[in-house]
Amino acid sequence: MAHKRLNGNVAEELIKDFMKIFRISLLLFCLGGLVFAKGLKLEGIIASVDNANKTITIDSFYGDSVVVKVLPNTEIELEKCGVFGMDKYGTFKDLLPGSFVEVKLYFQNFGDEGKTNPIAYEIEIECHKKKAY
C-alpha cells in the first residue's frame, strides 16, 4: 500500500485550519479560567470587625486569619434568620465577631508592589449554625 503525498496547497490549508481551531480552543480555555477565578470562597468565623476601615478578620477553616474588605455594594445575606427561617438581607452592622460566614471574594492589585487585597462581593451569615462548643 503506497502512501500518497499531499499537495502543497492541501497541506497548507490543513495547517491553517488546525491553527484556527487551536487559537479558538486556547481563547476559550483562557476565558474559562477568568470565569472560575472569580468564584473564590472563604469559610470561617468572624474574629474581629474594623468599622472605620470596613474590614472583617476571618479565622478561616483553612488555618489562617484573613482580613477582607467590605464595600458598599457587597451583598450581605442572613441565612435562615428571618421569620419562619427565611433569608433576609443584612448590613455591615450584622457582621459580628463569632458569627459563621461564607465569603465569596476576589482579589484586586493595588500599587506597584503587587500586593493583593481580598474584597468581598457576597457574604452569607449562618444565623443558626450549630457549633461544636
Side-chain angles (χ1 to χ4, degrees), residues 4-95:
K4 293 184 180 180
R5 290 189 76 161
L6 293 175
N7 187 352
N9 292 335
V10 174
E12 288 178 24
E13 289 297 320
L14 286 174
I15 291 172
K16 286 181 183 178
D17 289 341
F18 172 77
M19 291 304 293
K20 192 181 297 183
I21 292 170
F22 177 75
R23 286 183 194 131
I24 292 171
S25 300
L26 184 62
L27 178 65
L28 290 174
F29 176 77
C30 292
L31 290 176
L34 291 174
V35 169
F36 292 115
K38 187 177 178 182
L40 298 174
K41 183 169 80 169
L42 175 67
E43 297 178 325
I45 305 292
I46 297 177
S48 65
V49 178
D50 183 352
N51 193 35
N53 293 320
K54 299 296 186 215
T55 60
I56 57 174
T57 303
I58 299 172
D59 285 339
S60 169
F61 291 155
Y62 311 113
D64 200 5
S65 292
V66 180
V67 178
V68 178
K69 178 74 174 170
V70 180
L71 298 177
N73 62 338
T74 300
E75 183 179 312
I76 300 173
E77 183 179 326
L78 303 163
E79 286 197 354
K80 301 178 184 172
C81 299
V83 179
F84 304 115
M86 295 176 60
D87 295 347
K88 64 180 189 176
Y89 289 104
T91 63
F92 190 81
K93 294 177 184 177
D94 295 312
L95 299 171

